[in-house]
Amino acid sequence: MNNFGTLLKGEFQRLSKYKIMQAGIGVSLLWVATLFLIGPDDAGMFLPLFVFMDVSLMTVLLIGSGLFYERQENTLKTLLITPTKFSHIIYSKLITAVIIALQSALILGLLGYFFFDVGIQFHYLIAFTVLISFMHAMLGFVFAVLLKDFPSLLASIMLYMIVFAFPSIFYALDILSTTWSYILIISPTHASMLLVELAFGEPVNGWMIVVSIVYLIVITLVFAKWIVFPNYFKKAIED
Amino acid sequence: MSEVIIEVKDLMFTYGKSQVKAVDGLSFKVKKGEIFGLLGPSGAGKSTTQKILTRLLKGYGGTITYLGKDLSAYDNTFYEDIGVGFELPVHFSKLTGEENMAFFSRLYRKQVDVAPLLKRVGLYEDKDKMVGSYSKGMKMRLNFVRALLNDPKVLFLDEVTNGLDPKNARIIKDMIRAFKEQGGTVILTTHLMNDVEELCDNIAFISGGRIKEIATPRELKIKYGKRILDVEYALNGKTKQNTFDLDGLSNNDTFMSILKNHDIETMHSGETSLDDIFIKVTGESIHE
Ligand SMILES: Nc1ncnc2c1ncn2[C@@H]1O[C@H](COP(=O)(O)OP(=O)(O)O)[C@@H](O)[C@H]1O
Ligand SMILES: [Mg+2]
């Protein structure tokens, strides 16, 4: 097996050994239970919201906490003195996060499709889940680079939710008017939310779709080029 | 003349925001098949030097060549050649010892059989336990095994016997010597005099980021040891003690007559311990 395959396999082995995978499945089941409690009439409205939470916030939490744990264990240093390429180490984690996000998005999507009669466009759901979780996984790396410990990671994710996610959630629940959509687009979570809604067959303005996609790609690249790749390993070594 | 593996010239390094140089103008050569010791107190710059030599820290001043080629000219295949032992445990705590070794092993082209290594360091029985449940000493022994996974040509070991009881320290030291006997080269950094004294062919005394002296243990003892001989002998049922200068000893009549006419009880040359020599050379004690 080549090194990238080994890294990826290692990530999944650890996700399971560290019970992160189990926690992720647990969260998905929690969403599922909630949807059944809500009942078929409103489930359609909450489903995109849950998918959005899982694919964005859960991904930041997954990557961020994993990286802090790894820092504590000093394991990144050992990886860095193997023939493995630095970029492969980062990509293996990003891809793992995307796969986990896809798993929960699909669980929820299929559930909506078969039980709640929600019109889901699965190709959109898959494509946007990849995009959104990739961006949020990168955000997890950004937090790991900038923050010093796990409590500050949790605090930052909370702050991120309050500033960026809640307005989008209110919007999705029709608490905020459509005009807000244009203002909120400067928030990465809102761009994510719009794309998830699109996948769930809700009407979204064509330009807003384009702007959202471009916006998510640009943020991801900016994070990668200026924050994550230049600083991540330096930080791990000097620790 | 044996081949030079690593040559370091005027190595300098300062950490990000720090004002002081962690490494301040180191120069030394490590030859093939030798055990080279960097000996110095905590904070001397040993680990920093090891991290630079293993290409973890970049942005250093001076030059380093590995097998005659600048270190920065190598790509990551450099790591196929070397084994690195860190001073702190570096394993996944919720994976077993064996799972850890299996994972890291697969990242190399060349792989050794791990079981005999685990047996040798006394971890085989515990290979299926999570590393998180290991004692500090067990983790350090696993670190050492981890450094040997790719059958390296050069070993970089940072405080390799740290936290080990004498019996296990003995095993690790024997393994290091065996590695050398099979043609391996070792760069050992430590604050433990014992390690260098038993293992090293050459020792660099390092303090405050600078090398104060490089020599073989024997040369150091000759250069800094007192050139005297203490003799204890029996005289009328009592022990008498006499001290002689080593220089001109063969012409010393008193000494000769003691040898001829009395039973010698003990005889010690005025060897100074490396500990004392370290203080003499660096003006600093190796122990905090
Ligand atoms: N990550 C770091 N950031 C800033 N200074 C550091 C860092 N690591 C080590 N130092 C400093 O560099 C010097 C050398 O440290 P180190 O190489 O660890 O010494 P040794 O291994 O000999 O004990 C010390 O003064 C130490 O405080
Ligand atoms: Mg050290």
Side-chain angles (χ1 to χ4, degrees), chain B residues 16-229:
Chain B
K17 292 172 195 94
S18 171
Q19 298 294 312
V20 279
K21 295 190 182 97
V23 172
D24 188 7
L26 298 191
S27 300
F28 58 89
K29 276 183 202 169
V30 181
K31 290 197 219 99
K32 183 169 166 46
E34 81 167 324
I35 303 181
F36 184 91
L38 272 173
L39 176 74
S42 168
K46 306 180 298 291
S47 299
T48 306
T49 305
Q50 170 164 321
K51 283 180 187 169
I52 296 170
L53 293 179
T54 53
R55 294 179 22 118
L56 283 174
L57 288 174
K58 311 256 156 68
Y60 54 84
T63 55
I64 301 168
T65 52
Y66 177 74
L67 296 175
K69 201 166 98 177
D70 198 278
L71 190 65
S72 57
Y74 287 87
D75 63 9
N76 275 9
T77 54
F78 168 71
Y79 294 116
E80 299 280 2
D81 259 15
I82 68 163
V84 181
F86 290 97
E87 66 183 321
L88 293 172
V90 284
H91 295 102
F92 298 107
S93 60
K94 300 205 175 165
L95 262 55
T96 67
E98 192 176 43
E99 285 166 343
N100 267 284
M101 294 304 102
F103 172 70
F104 290 116
S105 247
R106 280 196 294 268
L107 296 171
Y108 295 97
R109 250 184 257 142
K110 206 163 30 155
Q111 297 163 6
V112 299
D113 196 0
V114 181
L117 286 174
L118 288 175
K119 278 184 190 142
R120 185 87 197 271
V121 301
L123 286 178
Y124 192 74
E125 311 282 288
D126 302 296
K127 71 179 168 50
D128 296 322
K129 290 188 187 141
M130 279 193 204
V131 171
S133 72
Y134 281 17
S135 70
K136 170 93 198 292
M138 291 164 80
K139 287 177 185 166
M140 290 308 291
R141 282 181 273 153
L142 194 64
N143 265 11
F144 183 67
V145 172
R146 192 251 162 281
L148 295 172
L149 285 180
N150 54 329
D151 188 20
K153 297 195 185 88
V154 184
L155 262 183
F156 295 84
L157 300 172
D158 196 355
E159 308 283 2
V160 69
T161 59
N162 205 5
L164 296 188
D165 56 77
K167 179 175 142 273
N168 282 309
R170 173 85 277 132
I171 293 171
I172 299 290
K173 282 187 240 181
D174 288 344
M175 288 174 79
I176 295 173
R177 207 175 289 119
F179 176 81
K180 171 197 148 134
E181 270 149 26
Q182 283 152 26
T185 307
V186 184
I187 290 111
L188 191 89
T189 81
T190 180
H191 70 284
L192 297 173
M193 198 58 75
N194 238 329
D195 292 358
V196 289
E197 188 150 19
E198 284 179 44
L199 292 173
C200 294
D201 300 299
N202 269 298
I203 305 174
F205 282 172
I206 171 170
S207 135
R210 292 177 192 207
I211 288 181
K212 302 292 163 88
E213 177 79 86
I214 303 181
T216 67
R218 194 179 141 74
E219 283 165 353
L220 285 169
K221 290 198 172 165
I222 293 172
K223 183 165 171 191
Y224 293 98
K226 297 190 209 90
R227 293 192 49 74
I228 52 165
L229 183 70

